[in-house]
Amino acid sequence: MTTMLPTFDNPALAPGAMLDPSRTGQEASSLERSLRQMVVGQDEAIAQIVNIYQMHLTGLCAPQRPVGNFLFLGPTGSGKTRIVEAAAEALLGTERAVVKIDCAEFQHSHEIAKLIGSPPGYLGHRETHPLLSQEMLNQHHTERVRLSFVLFDEIEKASDALWNLLLGILDKGTLTLGDNRKVDFSRTMIFMTSNLGAKEMEALAGKGLGFGAALERADPRADAAMGAKVSRTGVEAARRKFTPEFMNRLDKIVVFQPLGEAELRRILDIELGMVQRRVFESGAGRGFVFTASPAAKDYLLSQGTDVKYGARHLKRAIERLLGQPMSNLIATGQVRGGDLIRVDYEPAGAALTFQREAEGLPVRAMAEMVDEPVRPWVRVAAAVLPEPAQKMTARSSRRA
């Protein structure tokens, strides 16, 4: 009699097979892909968020504690706040799902009442609406994802009273409001951002950090060594500022690294995609497609790269040089729904130029021209953008 041995479709399930703990599940992998589409050059921060989320999905997070406590260090404009908003957008559908606390508003101890509410007996305590109530945390929960995001921005600017308040939240995952109601943070990711050590990092890197550093760096070993020094500098600055009790309650401390020219160009493409998305979000039959030439992108990069202000300077340059002229074209009727606009750079005038290359494009054709993240907004615009009957014709309208 022959004994039939079981067969395994997945080799990893066979007895004696070596397992691969570096693999992540489908949901965590989807989050990682989404973050990499929206955040550039911060692989360590993405990996830490994905790892903590994977532990949350499998139920291996520590009980009666927040899902994760993160401290993000780095210079302004390096993407610390953006990665939190991107995680909320990927999981909950909107970046507004982040409960954002601007710590610059809590430099005095009495201002803590805005977070937890005034205790009974104080004048107007019934009219106080705490920012950290359970309703605020749960308002963006969905049937698929029951997770909250709380961001304490620029935590170093807060008073000691806020740091002491955080000790209980970070350790036990609970908060008592002014009216003695309990708030549960066990389904919450808590993020704190800080610019501590930015000056020391700038001196260490020589040319500065943010999005303008390391443009010429080519040796991977030298880049890794510099990244390690930058990380140590940031962590040491945080340890000088915060108490050991506070630091011991953090799960992950991530120092955001300088980015090179390749990352800058990817960030520019992402921001241009956001402008294209807003074009279709405006609705009212005004959806159109624009393309930027390599010369136009080079010009935007040259005007928007600043070692001191990081990516925010690039966003302002796009708004000033692309967004404002484009809004004038829309308001004056020079651009209509279904148009294809080419944005180029004219060296003689040192300005961007706008030329209509086609008009009357059907919605399907416009959807094929834009990047994948923008396509859903093209479909939304289809409800208000009628399909043109005429053939595409080439006309031009130039504006410096």
Side-chain angles (χ1 to χ4, degrees), residues 180-256:
N180 288 327
R181 288 183 297 161
K182 297 290 185 179
V183 182
D184 181 16
F185 284 82
S186 62
R187 290 183 174 271
T188 303
M189 283 189 178
I190 298 178
F191 299 87
M192 290 159 281
T193 66
S194 174
N195 296 328
L196 287 172
K199 291 183 179 179
E200 292 89 341
M201 298 177 197
E202 182 176 351
L204 180 65
K207 294 170 64 176
L209 285 181
F211 288 81
L215 290 178
E216 304 297 333
R217 215 175 277 165
D219 188 350
R221 291 175 297 180
D223 189 54
M226 178 61 67
K229 291 181 180 179
V230 168
S231 296
R232 287 196 300 269
T233 301
V235 173
E236 290 170 0
R239 293 187 183 278
R240 290 194 300 268
K241 180 69 173 180
F242 301 116
T243 63
E245 307 83 66
F246 184 87
M247 297 296 293
N248 283 339
R249 285 165 169 78
L250 300 174
D251 297 318
K252 305 293 181 182
I253 302 176
V254 181
V255 178
F256 281 55

Side-chain angles (χ1 to χ4, degrees), residues 234-382:
V235 173
E236 290 170 0
R239 293 187 183 278
R240 290 194 300 268
K241 180 69 173 180
F242 301 116
T243 63
E245 307 83 66
F246 184 87
M247 297 296 293
N248 283 339
R249 285 165 169 78
L250 300 174
D251 297 318
K252 305 293 181 182
I253 302 176
V254 181
V255 178
F256 281 55
Q257 298 293 329
L259 304 179
E261 183 178 4
E263 289 83 7
L264 281 170
R265 291 189 177 277
R266 287 179 56 198
I267 292 169
L268 175 63
D269 290 335
I270 291 174
E271 293 300 325
L272 292 178
M274 295 298 293
V275 175
Q276 181 69 82
R277 170 176 163 176
R278 291 198 294 270
V279 168
F280 286 103
E281 279 182 326
S282 64
R286 296 185 303 199
F288 63 91
V289 176
F290 72 89
T291 61
S293 68
K297 293 182 179 181
D298 289 341
Y299 177 66
L300 289 172
L301 277 175
S302 66
Q303 296 297 309
T305 300
D306 189 284
V307 298
K308 185 176 181 180
Y309 299 106
R312 290 189 176 92
H313 192 66
L314 180 59
K315 291 182 179 181
R316 288 193 293 268
I318 293 174
E319 291 177 359
R320 183 180 75 255
L321 301 172
L322 180 66
Q324 293 176 4
M326 196 174 291
S327 68
N328 292 337
L329 296 177
I330 295 173
T332 56
Q334 298 180 67
V335 174
R336 300 181 295 272
D339 284 353
L340 172 61
I341 306 300
R342 177 176 175 81
V343 182
D344 207 343
Y345 173 66
E346 184 178 347
L352 296 179
T353 60
F354 300 83
Q355 180 178 359
R356 181 188 295 113
E357 292 195 332
E359 63 180 2
L361 292 174
V363 172
R364 180 176 298 179
M366 289 192 293
E368 294 175 352
M369 293 180 179
V370 299
D371 295 334
E372 181 64 31
V374 185
R375 290 178 185 175
W377 301 100
V378 181
R379 300 187 187 103
V380 171

Side-chain angles (χ1 to χ4, degrees), residues 11-34:
L13 299 179
M18 293 297 296
L19 306 182
D20 183 6
S22 64
R23 293 174 56 188
T24 56
Q26 183 176 357
E27 293 183 47
S29 297
S30 176
L31 172 61
E32 182 176 5
R33 288 193 298 270
S34 298

Side-chain angles (χ1 to χ4, degrees), residues 4 24 89 119 133 160 164 176 230 259 277 284 287 311 333 373 377 388 391:
M4 299 296 294
T24 56
E89 183 175 354
S133 65
D160 294 348
N164 294 332
T176 303
V230 168
L259 304 179
R277 170 176 163 176
W377 301 100
K391 295 182 179 180

Side-chain angles (χ1 to χ4, degrees), residues 13-56:
L13 299 179
M18 293 297 296
L19 306 182
D20 183 6
S22 64
R23 293 174 56 188
T24 56
Q26 183 176 357
E27 293 183 47
S29 297
S30 176
L31 172 61
E32 182 176 5
R33 288 193 298 270
S34 298
L35 290 178
R36 292 189 183 281
Q37 289 178 351
M38 293 182 279
V39 180
V40 176
Q42 305 300 345
D43 294 341
E44 181 184 0
I46 292 175
Q48 299 293 359
I49 292 176
V50 171
N51 290 340
I52 292 293
Y53 181 60
Q54 180 71 90
M55 293 181 63
H56 167 68

